[in-house]
Amino acid sequence: MALSVGIVGLPNAGKSTLFNALTQAGAAVGNYPFTTIEPNTGVVPVPDPRLDALAAIFSPPKIIPATVTFTDIAGLVRGASRGEGLGNQFLGHIRETDAIALVVRAFDDPDVTHVEGTVDALRDVDLLELELVLADLDTVTRRLDRTERTARLAKEKELDVIATLQRAREHLDTGRPLRTAGFTAEERDHLRELFPLTLKPLLVVVNVDEDSAASTEGAAAIEVRARESGGEAMRLSARIESEIVELDPADQAEFLATLGLAEPGLNRLARSAYGLLHLVSFFTAGEKEVRAWTLRTGETALDAAGTIHTDFARGFIRAEVVDAPTLIEAGSYAAVGKLGRLRLEGKDYVMQDGDVVHFRFNV
């Protein structure tokens, strides 16, 4: 399932440093605007202790985690919605992603300039969100004008679409992102082909210095601001994360302990991004392979079967399901069976995060 999170922010906010730490892909990093022009893309595994625990039971030769794709997008600047700083091109790159990780800088460094002159994470969130709102306002207004002109000539008038576009324009006129408008599923469908920037799920990532990596000071204001925009917030130090990935696992644990951190911030970011995309994991587990598979929240056993192989869906008979904690505690499928905890589910069963499943099919 190729869903991606766009890493967005002002120049020199630490986007490419964070991306390199996530993917170890070697994207260019520099102290000047537009170091990144064409977006870099990397696929990142999602840390999941349930996968590790299942692998410990079956000791398979192959262990395959769920993944999330990150795209490092060039820095936006004030006026990007009007085309400043290649803004139209970069906004187009954001439209191609499924969610936004908005990176804002909260560290002082005389060797790294700030395009706004001073460091102010809250201001930067507002600035970036406003540019996205203005870009959406332009897109929605142009589509509304065209749809209204067409409706005058058409026999079947798209009155419901026009109403949604009018509501979207009015909401954007207040400076608020579309994700806070409370659109119905039908209204979201009306807007889907516009790929609205501010309808995408949002995660604000506050890039702090080493001394603040384990602190919560100042976090509340950013969290409130993110919630007001219909999103979430987290903090990490991109510089520290780039150092951690270069260490051996044992040295990583020691380094994290000295910083007062329980785990790398990248682990939290990958999991947050996965949740941001409204994804859940289900598992297949056996002696040959333990694997985490990805579904959208609300998808069914039939969808899960098709994710593995089209034949599984075409010849679906039933799904044998147990939740991962039960299997991990029991230690084997046989023990789960004795406990009476193995369930037989039909194709309409809504898959739950953490389900371990074996499909019966016939083609």
Side-chain angles (χ1 to χ4, degrees):
M1 184 175 293
L3 298 178
S4 66
V5 177
I7 301 177
V8 179
L10 295 171
N12 300 338
K15 302 182 308 302
S16 293
T17 301
L18 179 60
F19 177 81
N20 286 346
L22 275 166
T23 65
Q24 301 182 51
V29 178
N31 179 25
Y32 50 91
F34 315 127
T35 308
T36 303
I37 294 180
E38 290 302 319
N40 299 297
T41 298
V43 179
V44 178
V46 179
D48 193 327
R50 299 170 301 184
L51 183 72
D52 299 332
L54 290 169
I57 293 174
F58 295 98
S59 301
K62 293 175 66 177
I63 304 169
I64 304 174
T67 60
V68 63
T69 299
F70 285 90
T71 302
D72 179 23
I73 295 169
L76 299 178
V77 295
R78 190 183 294 272
S81 58
R82 303 189 304 274
E84 294 292 333
L86 301 179
N88 291 333
Q89 178 181 346
F90 300 159
L91 289 168
H93 294 157
I94 301 173
R95 292 193 192 281
E96 296 172 4
T97 65
D98 300 286
I100 296 173
L102 198 67
V103 179
V104 292
R105 174 177 164 182
F107 65 88
D108 283 306
D109 187 336
D111 295 326
V112 181
T113 59
H114 194 295
V115 292
E116 290 293 310
T118 59
V119 174
D120 186 334
L122 274 174
R123 176 205 60 208
D124 294 349
V125 172
D126 290 338
L127 190 160
L128 290 163
E129 275 277 270
L130 179 60
E131 292 299 331
L132 300 182
V133 165
L134 290 173
D136 275 352
L137 180 59
D138 179 63
T139 299
V140 169
T141 298
R142 284 189 283 110
R143 175 56 62 88
L144 177 59
D145 290 344
R146 187 164 71 248
T147 304
E148 287 179 330
R149 286 198 305 270
T150 303
R152 297 189 193 104
L153 303 174
K155 292 182 179 179
E156 295 184 7
K157 303 185 187 303
E158 298 180 291
L159 298 180
D160 53 346
V161 175
I162 290 173
T164 299
L165 291 169
Q166 288 174 334
R167 184 179 169 211
R169 183 176 64 180
E170 290 168 2
H171 191 80
L172 291 164
D173 265 333
T174 68
R176 292 177 294 168
L178 291 175
R179 74 180 71 85
T180 64
F183 288 119
T184 64
E186 183 181 6
E187 288 172 326
R188 284 175 171 266
D189 284 340
H190 295 160
L191 298 170
R192 193 177 306 281
E193 66 179 38
L194 299 181
F195 301 100
L197 299 168
T198 64
L199 199 56
K200 298 179 186 295
L202 173 71
L203 175 66
V204 176
V205 181
V206 185
N207 186 12
V208 299
D209 58 24
E210 181 174 322
D211 294 335
S212 303
S215 171
T216 58
E217 184 178 351
I222 289 287
E223 289 173 357
V224 169
R225 181 65 184 82
R227 285 197 299 271
E228 288 173 349
S229 289
E232 303 171 9
M234 65 169 292
R235 60 194 284 140
L236 53 70
S237 169
R239 182 174 296 177
I240 288 177
E241 298 301 328
S242 66
E243 295 174 2
I244 291 174
V245 296
E246 300 294 332
L247 300 175
D248 293 329
D251 293 332
Q252 283 187 11
E254 183 178 348
F255 184 44
L256 288 167
T258 64
L259 296 172
L261 298 171
E263 63 175 343
L266 297 183
N267 289 6
R268 292 184 289 115
L269 177 56
R271 287 197 297 268
S272 294
Y274 199 69
L276 199 66
L277 293 166
H278 304 292
L279 303 177
V280 296
S281 292
F282 73 95
F283 303 97
T284 51
E287 295 179 354
K288 294 183 179 180
E289 176 184 281
V290 171
R291 179 167 181 167
W293 302 83
T294 300
L295 286 178
R296 290 183 184 274
T297 300
E299 290 192 314
T300 66
L302 187 63
D303 295 318
T307 298
I308 297 174
H309 198 285
T310 54
D311 283 349
F312 283 29
R314 186 159 57 90
F316 184 98
I317 298 173
R318 67 176 181 270
E320 299 174 356
V321 183
V322 59
D323 61 276
T326 296
L327 176 55
I328 292 165
E329 184 177 355
S332 69
Y333 287 118
V336 169
K338 289 180 180 178
L339 293 170
R341 299 291 297 276
L342 189 66
R343 310 191 311 273
L344 301 181
E345 303 287 358
K347 63 182 180 181
D348 295 328
Y349 166 70
V350 176
M351 297 291 292
Q352 301 299 304
D353 185 56
D355 279 345
V356 184
V357 61
H358 177 73
F359 291 103
R360 299 291 183 184
F361 69 102
N362 182 33
V363 291

